Amino acid sequence: MLEVEGLHARYGQVPVLNGVSLRVGAAERVVIIGRNGAGKTTLLRALMGFLRARQGHIRWRGVDLTHLPPYRRARLGLGYVPQGREIFPTLTVRENLRMGALSGDGSRFDELLQIFPRLGERLAQRGGSLSGGEQQILAIARALMGDPKLLLLDEPTEGVQPSIVDEILEQLLGINARFGVTMILVEQNVDFASAFAQRAYTMLKGQITEELRPEALYDPRVIADYLGV
Amino acid sequence: MDFVAVTAFGILYAIATLILLALGLAVIFGMMGVINLAQAEFLMVGAYTVLIATAHGASVWIGIAVAPVVVGLLGLVIERTIIRFLYGRILDTMLATWGLSLGLVGLVTLVFGPTTEGIATPLGHVIIGRYRLSEYSVFVILMAFAGLGLTYAVFNYTRFGLVARATMQNDNMVSALGVNPARVYMGTFAFGAALAGLGGAVIAPLTGVVPTLGLAFIAKIFITVIVGGPVILLGTTTSGAVLGLVESLVSYSSTPIYGQVAMLAVAIILLRLLPQGISGFWRRGV
Ligand SMILES: Nc1ncnc2c1ncn2[C@@H]1O[C@H](COP(=O)(O)OP(=O)(O)OP(=O)(O)O)[C@@H](O)[C@H]1O
Ligand SMILES: [Mg+2]
């Protein structure tokens, strides 16, 4: 489905991705772990097209995405839940969701409200007035409104209270099973990452260093190498 | 009694024209943050559209209907050829649009000459006691309300409006949702230009048409939009009401010069007290 090979990217003169290669199959759930500054966000941004690939390529369902702008990638089925959520704060929850449906027909609306009942209760509220966890759920639901085939999630548990973290985990697993959405998750929460993923990649200094089974994320060596503080 | 009624009407008219002429700038500068120094020329081209229409035997109403289309298209071309390269670069934008402003004035002067051309004011008069009011100025007031209502509806009830509001907040996120933000900026700029074209066209029969028509208004409308603050429509309406009231009251009791001085003074005081503009602390919206 998704093939990334030798992807290089940089901010100005600072190289951040130094040849990332990975493969993700249809409906697969993959996690990428790595310390702060490893380049995880940069990788997702490069996959989404916000950062130019200096070398390497990105192929998605047979289409070469490498030089397409983000909106074209979105129309080809990529969905993005950025770190920090980036919901539209002055737009209402309903309007945020309508923004998500721009490239689709919005037929997901009722179905998604059933999956995310918290949003249904707050449709007329402004996005910025939601709690952090609710905003995270809104960002996920917004991305799903467009019927993506590949969802990129950047640390959806960051700053979210534990009860909502569990809720998000269940919802993501449910959506993956129900709609067959392929998911790439960037995460530093080991419990969440191992419960979510079928496969894990580790990232260090802008490169993928290991491919692991999710149980291995609890290995003290892995924790020390990729998550240790 | 008649005097009070006529004065009140005069104030309402001053407020309405201020809002009507500032509306396009509220979109282009208030919403998009583009300091468009050629905004006055958008008004001017709108006015000339009415002049040309009437010179070719069409009615003023046809001219007013066509002007937003003409100026909207002009805005589209200007966005594609100049503005789109300058988003976020304030100084470059000011220089480029200043040059554009001079160029447009020069071009129109070359083609139509530097003199003021009159357009016969349509509609008749109403007599209030010893005073005569032109019915056309009632139309101008109605058009201000219509322009406000239209703009409000476009931004709140259409897909384009929703996407435009979202794009001004976070254009990267909008592109991650499958929309090309460049298109949205283009459309929003053209819409603001069209509104200016409408304003210029509507006032043309009352002011007369001259290449430098917009210069009389450019400072006022920038002040109105700046004082209005981030909630562009309600903010601009409120500040238009306050500043228009001050200007016309002082003008009536002394001279128009003092009216403008008073307006500027009140604007400065308001911005001292509310640096974000009148709507700075309001719940955000359009
Ligand atoms: N906009 C930017 N301009 C310049 N350098 C940047 C920018 N964003 C990130 N970087 C640098 O790129 C490197 C990788 O950043 P990135 O955000 O991808 O890390 P991350 O793995 O997502 O970290 P975290 O876990 O803290 O989110 C860091 O060294 C960071 O300082
Ligand atoms: Mg990150």
Side-chain angles (χ1 to χ4, degrees):
Chain A
M1 280 283 269
L2 180 75
E3 294 168 28
V4 180
E5 255 179 58
L7 189 65
H8 287 251
R10 57 187 200 227
Y11 289 109
Q13 293 305 312
V14 186
V16 177
L17 298 183
N18 304 306
V20 172
S21 300
L22 53 85
R23 262 155 211 271
V24 181
E28 204 185 358
R29 300 188 306 272
V30 172
V31 71
I32 298 169
I33 62 161
R35 297 176 193 227
N36 297 112
K40 308 180 297 297
T41 297
T42 308
L43 172 59
L44 293 195
R45 286 172 51 82
L47 292 181
M48 204 57 219
F50 292 117
L51 226 72
R52 201 149 71 83
R54 301 293 176 144
Q55 267 182 59
H57 61 80
I58 305 167
R59 239 192 304 279
W60 159 244
R61 294 172 133 193
V63 182
D64 186 3
L65 296 186
T66 316
H67 302 293
L68 294 183
Y71 64 91
R72 296 278 304 279
R73 300 188 196 199
R75 290 179 199 166
L76 287 170
L78 270 63
Y80 183 41
V81 181
Q83 187 165 21
R85 303 156 196 134
E86 302 199 26
I87 54 144
F88 303 107
T90 76
L91 268 49
T92 64
V93 170
R94 184 191 295 279
E95 287 174 330
N96 268 279
L97 293 172
R98 278 180 57 205
M99 283 303 298
L102 289 173
S103 56
D105 57 2
S107 54
R108 279 281 181 83
F109 191 75
D110 294 330
E111 209 172 352
L112 286 175
L113 287 189
Q114 276 173 16
I115 301 174
F116 304 105
R118 281 170 190 280
L119 298 180
E121 297 158 14
R122 295 173 172 79
L123 285 176
Q125 222 170 301
R126 290 179 326 126
S129 70
L130 300 182
S131 74
E134 288 162 355
Q135 289 188 14
Q136 189 65 61
I137 290 173
L138 176 58
I140 295 170
R142 178 182 64 183
L144 289 169
M145 282 291 288
D147 197 10
K149 301 289 176 285
L150 170 62
L151 191 60
L152 308 174
L153 297 134
D154 199 343
E155 302 206 32
T157 64
E158 197 179 34
V160 174
Q161 71 186 68
S163 66
I164 297 191
V165 169
D166 295 344
E167 202 177 305
I168 290 175
L169 177 63
E170 262 177 49
Q171 287 160 343
L172 289 178
L173 295 177
I175 287 156
N176 171 255
R178 185 158 166 185
F179 302 117
V181 183
T182 309
M183 295 183 176
I184 299 179
L185 170 76
V186 157
E187 193 47 82
Q188 298 194 71
N189 173 335
V190 183
D191 292 334
F192 190 87
S194 61
F196 168 86
Q198 296 160 326
R199 204 151 59 82
Y201 285 111
T202 58
M203 199 166 176
L204 193 69
K205 293 183 182 154
Q207 281 177 322
I208 300 288
T209 48
E210 294 183 53
E211 186 182 333
L212 304 167
R213 288 155 24 90
E215 308 85 70
L217 294 178
Y218 285 106
D219 183 334
R221 178 196 63 85
V222 171
I223 291 180
D225 284 357
Y226 300 109
L227 297 164
V229 263
Chain B
M1 191 55 221
D2 298 344
F3 175 76
V4 173
V6 170
T7 308
F9 180 81
I11 292 171
L12 185 61
Y13 174 79
I15 292 171
T17 46
L18 194 53
I19 292 171
L20 181 62
L21 296 179
L23 211 48
L25 191 67
V27 173
I28 287 177
F29 172 59
M31 192 170 173
M32 302 180 69
V34 175
I35 302 185
N36 176 27
L37 295 180
Q39 190 74 12
E41 283 59 53
F42 288 179
L43 301 174
M44 180 267 285
V45 174
Y48 269 91
T49 307
V50 179
L51 182 71
I52 295 166
T54 52
H56 287 77
S59 68
V60 166
W61 313 117
I62 302 280
I64 290 174
V66 173
V69 179
V70 170
V71 183
L73 288 173
L74 176 69
L76 195 86
V77 171
I78 289 171
E79 201 276 345
R80 283 293 87 184
T81 52
I82 302 174
I83 305 290
R84 74 170 160 137
F85 303 108
L86 303 175
Y87 287 119
R89 291 159 59 183
I90 292 174
L91 216 60
D92 297 345
T93 307
M94 287 172 69
L95 274 175
T97 56
W98 185 46
L100 179 67
S101 158
L102 296 177
L104 284 172
V105 171
L107 187 70
V108 172
T109 309
L110 209 66
V111 177
F112 296 95
T115 49
T116 304
E117 306 276 346
I119 296 171
T121 309
L123 303 174
H125 291 88
V126 281
I127 307 291
I128 299 181
R130 295 182 293 118
Y131 302 93
R132 258 160 49 106
L133 289 180
S134 102
E135 283 171 0
Y136 189 80
S137 44
V138 178
F139 170 74
V140 173
I141 294 171
L142 292 178
M143 284 308 286
F145 281 107
L148 267 178
L150 173 85
T151 311
Y152 185 86
V154 164
F155 282 119
N156 285 286
Y157 304 122
T158 70
R159 184 191 131 111
F160 165 75
L162 173 69
V163 177
R165 282 185 291 144
T167 303
M168 302 314 146
Q169 280 179 36
N170 188 339
D171 55 0
N172 268 345
M173 200 57 229
V174 167
S175 68
L177 297 171
V179 175
N180 181 357
R183 287 286 184 96
V184 184
Y185 284 115
M186 180 183 84
T188 310
F189 190 88
F191 181 64
L195 285 172
L198 176 71
V202 167
I203 60 155
L206 294 176
T207 57
V209 181
V210 63
T212 52
L213 168 103
L215 292 184
F217 301 106
I218 184 77
K220 278 193 212 180
I221 62 178
F222 261 103
I223 290 169
T224 305
V225 174
I226 291 169
V227 170
V231 183
I232 60 154
L233 282 184
L234 274 176
T236 298
T237 306
T238 312
S239 89
V242 172
L243 299 176
L245 176 75
V246 170
E247 187 192 10
S248 48
L249 271 183
V250 175
S251 295
Y252 281 130
S253 52
S254 58
T255 70
I257 300 286
Y258 284 119
Q260 288 182 15
V261 171
M263 179 190 193
L264 190 62
V266 170
I268 291 170
I269 293 168
L270 279 173
L271 284 175
R272 274 261 143 174
L273 299 176
L274 300 162
Q276 312 262 349
I278 290 180
S279 61
F281 295 104
W282 296 0
R283 278 186 50 175
R284 295 294 169 91
V286 174

